[in-house]
Amino acid sequence: MSNQKKQSFLGGAAILAAAVVVVKFIGFFYKVPLNNILGGPGKTYFDTAYKIYNFLLTFSTAGLPLAISKLTSQAHAQGRENEKRKIFRTAIVLFFVLGTVGALFMFFQAEGLAGFLENSLAAQPIRALAPAVFCVCLLACMRGYTQGQGNMTPTAVSQVLEALLKLAIGLPLAWYVLRIGMSLEMGAAAAILGVTAGTAVSMLFLVGYLAKHRNRTQSLDVPSGSSHLIRQILAIGIPITLSNSAMSILNIIDTKIVMGQLQNALLLSEESAAALNGQYSMAMDMPNMVASFVYPVTMSLIPFAAAALARQDHAGADRIISSAFRIIAILALPAGIGLSVLSTPIMVLVLPAQREDALAAGPHLQVLGIALIFICLMILTNAILQTYGKEKLPIFTVIVGGIVKIIMNYFLVGNPDINIHGAPISTLCCYLVIVVLNLFFVWKYSPQKPRYLEVFAKPVAASLLMGGAAWAVYGLASRVLDGAFLALAQQMFADPDKIQLWSVYLANAACVLLGILAGVIVYGVLVIALRILRAEDMRSIPRGEKLIKLLHLK
């Protein structure tokens, strides 16, 4: 590959990596206001639809686009233009069929799917999301085809378009539907229409892009038959699909058990059960959003460990993997502990319109903040095991962790004294079990055994001190600033209710920000003083190439 082509490829990869970050930020500004609009019950209807959607998408798009990308890349590298076109034509038919079947099933079986998950009021949101299955299947095929040719720009633009439409249509529509007096399930369905609209517009953009940039270069190569290409796509894609589907299946079963136990064991109404489950889902959004930003940092190092192993450079691979552990430790540990110690204040900050739900979700986040640490470690250790050629082990550990989660939810959520608080506990235990098993297998299969105590001891100590500082500063600030913000609110409003509401909210926001700032300063000083992150760790982070590897793994 020439330098010019390599630079072009790196530039496209950088655009796609930037798009991933933009999409995550847009997602934050979509989810947080949406939680304020829908509240606990509406959030449950929304999440129920999304879990079914993700389940269907896992089977249709988890591994097959990677297979298309790989086959296209091989044909592109060999200059086989006819083969490349045949791959796309064959794949688009396959994805059209998968998308149509998935969308029709989700639309016409919406009531049955909602009833299976003990949440009958989620039927309309499920039906509203059904067309997105068809659109995303075609999107996945077209993205895999363009990425296989080293062209990341169409995917980047389509991802940003999808996120923007979701934000611009879904939020206003959900607010309007509830404002005119329609039900919460219709509000959730309206929010989901934004998702469907975003996928449809993105699909149309890629269709237009491929039509405009169609390669008409003449080629003499004879393409493979359609049946042969389908077998190749399935042979590559099905193992990846099976490995990615385990957690989706377990999440659906888990939702059914939580909603079922709240109604059957605790004798709550469906609406009351949805409200409690929604509060748990709101708290779970925070670790999920943080983990999505940690994921690229973690994954960017692993392909270089694989390259070192291929060269039989075990010392180099060990150095890269140790750096990955250390980097994720200094990111995930303070994030998790920070969310835990400031759990209720953070939920009150992000849910000003749903204060009751925020107060109820705070104890959930206190547990889920610790779970975040293990979620991030799971992401890293899964990738390390795949680097060592042990792709099946993460499937096994995820299934074991999922079974632990299901069993614990059945007994804990069904206990009147524990109730919905059993859900975050079971989530923490699930990821803890997965990480313990993964760490054992990483140790077992590493040519040079990782030194876990050396890697984690200092970050754990620094994170605990950081958490203590954040908690102490928040507590001190809340005693000092309450009166000041009460006076400010009195100047801004005449209504006593608004004065009380805004004085409490603004004081809490200021105290949370001060607590976070204090924690960041303390942690930064400790990282430097204890030299937790070493110079060789930073040198292990690749510059341009990490983006390419990251996006292929992603």
Side-chain angles (χ1 to χ4, degrees):
M1 182 181 291
S2 68
N3 289 337
Q4 185 177 356
K5 289 183 178 179
K6 183 175 181 181
Q7 288 170 2
S8 175
F9 188 74
L10 288 174
I15 291 171
L16 186 49
V20 169
V21 175
V22 171
V23 167
K24 297 300 182 183
F25 275 111
I26 294 173
F28 174 82
F29 289 108
Y30 173 72
K31 279 192 173 182
V32 171
L34 183 64
N35 289 345
N36 282 278
I37 293 170
L38 296 180
K43 174 67 173 174
T44 292
Y45 307 144
F46 183 93
D47 277 1
T48 299
Y50 236 95
K51 284 180 180 177
I52 295 170
Y53 172 70
N54 284 334
F55 171 72
L56 294 175
L57 284 188
T58 297
F59 276 92
S60 58
T61 66
L64 300 182
L66 291 176
I68 295 167
S69 179
K70 180 177 180 180
L71 294 175
T72 301
S73 178
Q74 291 172 348
H76 184 66
Q78 297 167 358
R80 303 183 65 194
E81 294 298 323
N82 292 332
E83 176 83 357
K84 201 167 64 174
R85 296 178 189 125
K86 186 65 174 290
I87 291 169
F88 179 71
R89 289 197 300 268
T90 303
I92 204 71
V93 172
L94 175 62
F95 275 75
F96 184 91
V97 173
L98 288 172
T100 301
V101 171
L104 291 175
F105 175 75
M106 195 168 174
F107 187 86
F108 289 107
Q109 295 298 318
E111 284 83 3
L113 291 168
F116 173 75
L117 292 178
E118 310 285 349
N119 192 8
S120 62
L121 294 177
Q124 290 303 326
I126 292 171
R127 190 171 282 114
L129 198 50
V133 176
F134 173 78
C135 296
V136 170
C137 280
L138 297 185
L139 269 173
C141 178
M142 291 184 282
R143 286 170 177 171
Y145 178 67
T146 55
Q147 289 180 31
Q149 299 175 77
N151 186 0
M152 308 296 178
T153 304
T155 296
V157 175
S158 68
Q159 286 177 339
V160 174
L161 272 177
E162 185 178 343
L164 283 174
L165 267 293
K166 177 174 69 174
L167 177 65
I169 294 177
L171 279 183
L173 196 56
W175 174 82
Y176 177 75
V177 163
L178 294 180
R179 187 171 182 266
I180 63 175
M182 297 183 74
S183 60
L184 277 174
E185 60 267 26
M186 293 306 296
I192 279 176
L193 281 176
V195 178
T196 301
T199 59
V201 171
S202 296
M203 180 191 72
L204 292 175
F205 164 76
L206 279 180
V207 169
Y209 181 90
L210 289 175
K212 182 178 179 180
H213 295 84
R214 183 178 179 183
N215 188 346
R216 302 179 185 276
T217 304
Q218 296 295 322
S219 179
L220 299 177
D221 66 293
V222 178
S224 305
S226 297
S227 59
H228 175 72
L229 289 174
I230 289 176
R231 285 196 298 270
Q232 281 189 297
I233 292 170
L234 295 178
I236 298 170
I238 286 178
I240 300 172
T241 298
L242 292 176
S243 68
N244 289 342
S245 64
M247 189 55 84
S248 294
I249 296 171
L250 291 169
N251 280 337
I252 288 179
I253 298 172
D254 182 59
T255 299
K256 175 180 174 61
I257 289 174
V258 170
M259 289 294 292
Q261 287 297 86
L262 289 173
Q263 295 172 65
N264 301 327
L266 303 186
L267 304 179
L268 298 177
S269 67
E270 185 177 308
E271 292 81 0
S272 298
L276 292 178
N277 187 66
Q279 292 161 358
Y280 163 67
S281 297
M282 288 174 175
M284 192 67 210
D285 280 345
M286 299 302 294
N288 284 339
M289 283 188 283
V290 174
S292 70
F293 285 102
V294 174
Y295 183 92
V297 178
T298 318
M299 292 296 96
S300 64
L301 297 171
I302 303 307
F304 293 86
L309 288 172
R311 299 191 303 268
Q312 299 296 312
D313 181 9
H314 297 307
D318 175 68
R319 184 172 60 254
I320 292 170
I321 288 173
S322 295
S323 297
F325 270 120
R326 192 170 287 105
I327 290 169
I328 197 58
I330 69 166
L331 292 172
L333 282 164
I337 291 175
L339 284 177
S340 185
V341 299
L342 297 177
S343 54
T344 299
I346 288 173
M347 293 308 301
V348 171
L349 176 65
V350 299
L351 293 173
Q354 302 289 345
R355 183 172 175 81
E356 184 178 340
D357 286 332
L359 293 174
H364 300 326
L365 184 57
Q366 191 171 28
V367 178
L368 293 173
I370 305 303
L372 166 64
I373 299 168
F374 297 103
I375 293 172
C376 295
L377 286 173
M378 179 195 72
I379 293 169
L380 173 62
T381 51
N382 279 351
I384 293 173
L385 289 172
Q386 291 166 2
T387 301
Y388 288 146
K390 307 296 179 182
E391 296 88 354
K392 295 180 181 179
L393 284 177
I395 305 174
F396 164 74
T397 59
V398 165
I399 291 174
V400 171
I403 291 172
V404 168
K405 189 175 194 294
I406 289 169
I407 293 173
M408 291 188 68
N409 265 340
Y410 183 83
F411 289 104
L412 294 180
V413 176
N415 185 330
D417 296 328
I418 301 175
N419 202 304
I420 189 62
H421 295 288
I425 295 171
S426 67
T427 297
L428 170 60
C429 293
C430 164
Y431 289 108
L432 174 61
V433 167
I434 293 171
V435 168
V436 168
L437 291 172
N438 279 4
L439 287 174
F440 168 75
F441 287 125
V442 168
W443 180 85
K444 180 178 179 180
Y445 292 108
S446 295
Q448 298 189 22
K449 305 304 180 187
R451 299 171 291 277
Y452 293 136
L453 183 61
E454 178 183 330
V455 168
F456 290 109
K458 290 180 180 179
V460 167
S463 298
L464 290 174
L465 291 171
M466 178 277 303
W471 175 80
V473 169
Y474 174 85
L476 178 62
S478 63
R479 292 183 178 87
V480 173
L481 296 179
D482 282 347
F485 281 98
L486 177 59
L488 176 63
Q490 287 172 341
Q491 293 178 2
M492 294 170 60
F493 304 102
D495 185 348
D497 291 336
K498 286 188 177 181
I499 291 173
Q500 177 64 23
L501 175 67
W502 280 100
S503 65
V504 171
Y505 180 76
L506 292 174
N508 177 73
C511 294
V512 168
L513 294 176
L514 287 172
I516 292 173
L517 179 61
V520 169
I521 292 172
V522 168
Y523 192 68
V525 170
L526 289 170
V527 166
I528 295 171
L530 298 175
R531 299 182 67 185
I532 296 173
L533 189 64
R534 303 178 304 197
E536 55 265 33
D537 295 325
M538 299 307 297
R539 287 196 295 270
S540 295
I541 302 177
R543 293 183 181 178
E545 290 86 350
K546 73 174 180 180
L547 300 171
I548 300 170
K549 301 297 184 180
L550 160 64
L551 296 168
H552 279 294
L553 282 172
K554 190 73 171 172

